[in-house]
Amino acid sequence: MGIHKTITVNAQPNYEVIIGNDILDTIKINETVNQVAIIYTSHVEKIAKKVSKLITKMGFVVTEIKVPNSEIAKNIDVIGNCWNKLGKSKFTRSDLVVAIGGGATTDLAGFVAATWLRGIDFISIPTTLLGMVDAAVGGKTGINTASGKNLVGAFHNPIQVIVDLDNLKSLNKHDFTTGMAEVVKCGFIADERILHIIENYPQECKKYDGVEIPELVTRSIQVKADTVAKDFKETSSSKTGREILNYGHTLAHAIEKNEKYKWRHGDAVSVGMVFAAELALADGKLAPEIVQRHRDILKLVGLPISYKFGNFKKLIEIMALDKKSRGATLRFVILEDIAQPARLENPSFKVLNQAWERVSK
Ligand SMILES: NC(=O)c1ccc[n+]([C@@H]2O[C@H](COP(=O)([O-])OP(=O)(O)OC[C@H]3O[C@@H](n4cnc5c(N)ncnc54)[C@H](O)[C@@H]3O)[C@@H](O)[C@H]2O)c1
Ligand SMILES: [Zn+2]
């Protein structure tokens, strides 16, 4: 019980990510704040009510804004409703938004905060594993449009992130498992200790209250915090820029699109990481044992390691259009070793196909 660790993210200004159990009362609200809007979904209503009570007790006026669950909430109509509610309650620049939910909700609520009066403060309380280790830290907020996912958004940092692991209790098993894909990713790109923990205590990494979960979540958030502190707006071209967080994501985005988003993000990232490892092997950059280690670890946590689909050329076309590949160049984050990410641009079809054959069977 209590705080496990506090991570300070280097930003302007710095903000704290507090990780622990039963820590909702660590929420810090400035005295200059008058009103607080809590943006949440029905799946986390209990948590939202608890936070609402806490904040009301602290003497602030609370407006509760319930938004639809998951991805469908990330659209202009829902944003419009949120703006209307802030307008009706006369929210000023010194007021505050609190986001409670998965990555979709924190992305949406963060964007509401980023845009209201050109930016007001917000606190993020992520309630999915993916939200905790990925979406809530790093300052990317946004919504989807008819042109694609996350194409409209803003960089807007929270002023505090509360990662209360007790909030994972109601999360379904599959959502928990898919969140582990980003944890494994952090292990491969930056922190081998994460991989050791999963290899040594796989059972403790499969349940939200496993003894290793606080450590895994903390280490993953640290990786994200360190990476975004160095490259907030993803402009760095160095080997350690924010782009490394995209490990496994080039093929993953193509799978998600190809499957019309019926595949969960983490499942696609899992296959994408095996593919990236196979690419690095085919290109002579990575040892076969490390490729095998990808498969072993991802299997241990219950993630998929293959994707059976007959039209690789179609996937290549989708990958070439991926916004993260900058222009029409095919571009992958690969590893040269554990915690040694590198970039692979325009690999030959032979290399691509060799890797594909090994993930598609
Ligand atoms: N901003 C970033 O840097 C960043 C990074 C990664 C992903 N994302 C975004 O995150 C989103 C995906 O996030 P996600 O995987 O958390 O999905 P999600 O937010 O859609 O949540 C999945 C489902 O779980 C429900 N839920 C959330 N917490 C729960 C809980 N504790 N108990 C029971 N149900 C709960 C949600 O209401 C939803 O129905 C995507 O929109 C993606 O674009 C953003
Ligand atoms: Zn991801």
Side-chain angles (χ1 to χ4, degrees):
M1 286 301 130
I3 296 176
H4 175 73
K5 180 101 187 249
T6 299
I7 292 173
T8 302
V9 184
N10 255 321
Q12 284 162 345
N14 288 354
Y15 60 96
E16 283 187 342
V17 183
I18 305 175
I19 303 141
N21 291 90
D22 193 15
I23 53 163
L24 291 176
D25 60 1
T26 58
I27 192 163
K28 244 191 251 163
I29 304 181
N30 221 314
E31 279 163 16
T32 51
V33 171
N34 231 323
Q35 305 196 62
V36 180
I38 298 181
I39 300 182
Y40 68 101
T41 75
S42 67
H43 289 160
V44 294
E45 185 136 20
K46 256 197 193 156
I47 305 164
K49 294 292 173 196
K50 227 169 154 181
V51 174
S52 177
K53 226 169 154 184
L54 255 169
I55 299 177
T56 309
K57 243 185 169 172
M58 291 161 84
F60 303 100
V61 178
V62 173
T63 301
E64 292 178 12
I65 306 178
K66 198 197 281 194
V67 295
N69 284 293
S70 76
E71 210 55 32
I72 47 162
K74 282 176 66 170
N75 78 58
I76 190 69
D77 296 333
V78 177
I79 282 277
N81 279 336
C82 293
W83 286 329
N84 285 342
K85 291 204 169 125
L86 296 186
K88 261 194 197 139
S89 301
K90 301 196 166 48
F91 265 64
T92 69
R93 194 167 277 163
S94 55
D95 292 330
L96 176 77
V97 168
V98 174
I100 305 178
T105 315
T106 54
D107 271 14
L108 164 84
F111 190 58
V112 170
T115 46
W116 185 252
L117 299 175
R118 299 187 183 79
I120 66 172
D121 285 348
F122 87 105
I123 292 176
S124 208
I125 306 184
T127 60
T128 60
L129 185 56
L130 180 125
M132 292 175 179
V133 301
D134 198 349
V137 176
K140 281 190 181 176
T141 71
I143 56 168
N144 306 323
T145 66
S147 311
K149 254 173 77 80
N150 296 326
L151 290 181
V152 172
F155 286 101
H156 189 59
N157 277 314
I159 57 165
Q160 188 189 20
V161 181
I162 302 173
V163 174
D164 189 334
L165 298 166
D166 287 351
N167 288 341
L168 294 173
K169 189 173 182 174
S170 52
L171 193 65
N172 74 51
K173 183 100 183 58
H174 192 197
D175 274 324
F176 181 80
T177 305
T178 55
M180 282 302 285
E182 305 287 354
V183 173
V184 173
K185 176 192 80 180
C186 290
F188 277 111
I189 61 173
D191 182 0
E192 191 173 7
R193 180 80 196 125
I194 290 176
L195 306 180
H196 287 309
I197 293 173
I198 298 172
E199 286 165 333
N200 291 320
Y201 310 99
Q203 292 314 323
E204 295 303 321
C205 302
K206 282 185 163 173
K207 44 187 185 182
Y208 86 95
D209 55 352
V211 290
E212 298 299 333
I213 295 300
E215 187 68 12
L216 284 183
V217 169
T218 302
R219 285 183 172 273
S220 304
I221 294 174
Q222 190 72 58
V223 169
K224 177 123 195 211
D226 291 347
T227 312
V228 299
K230 280 187 256 172
D231 181 23
F232 181 49
K233 293 203 172 171
E234 205 164 13
T235 44
S236 166
S237 55
S238 88
K239 278 186 173 181
T240 54
R242 194 165 179 153
E243 191 181 2
I244 64 169
L245 298 168
N246 215 25
Y247 186 55
H249 281 56
T250 312
L251 181 69
H253 289 149
I255 294 176
E256 287 181 276
K257 239 188 199 165
N258 196 42
E259 294 296 327
K260 308 207 165 43
Y261 297 96
K262 296 273 176 335
W263 262 56
R264 293 287 294 157
H265 177 69
D267 288 334
V269 170
S270 179
V271 176
M273 286 192 284
V274 178
F275 180 69
E278 287 286 0
L279 269 182
L281 172 69
D283 202 48
K285 304 263 171 34
L286 190 67
E289 304 81 63
I290 299 181
V291 183
Q292 188 55 40
R293 205 169 170 199
H294 279 68
R295 290 198 167 88
D296 294 343
I297 289 174
L298 292 164
K299 265 208 302 213
L300 275 179
V301 293
L303 284 161
I305 53 171
S306 65
Y307 175 55
K308 291 176 187 61
F309 179 65
N311 189 351
F312 183 45
K313 288 219 166 107
K314 182 176 172 203
L315 292 180
I316 294 181
E317 273 163 31
I318 305 176
M319 286 194 283
L321 289 173
D322 193 276
K323 72 179 158 56
K324 300 237 164 104
S325 69
R326 301 184 190 199
T329 320
L330 253 190
R331 176 178 165 117
F332 297 88
V333 177
I334 56 160
L335 295 183
E336 291 178 343
D337 200 345
I338 307 281
Q340 279 187 36
R343 203 175 291 122
L344 179 65
E345 283 177 1
N346 287 331
S348 67
F349 184 73
K350 188 169 162 245
V351 165
L352 283 166
N353 205 43
Q354 191 173 321
W356 172 248
E357 279 184 353
R358 301 188 53 131
V359 297
S360 60
K361 56 178 186 198

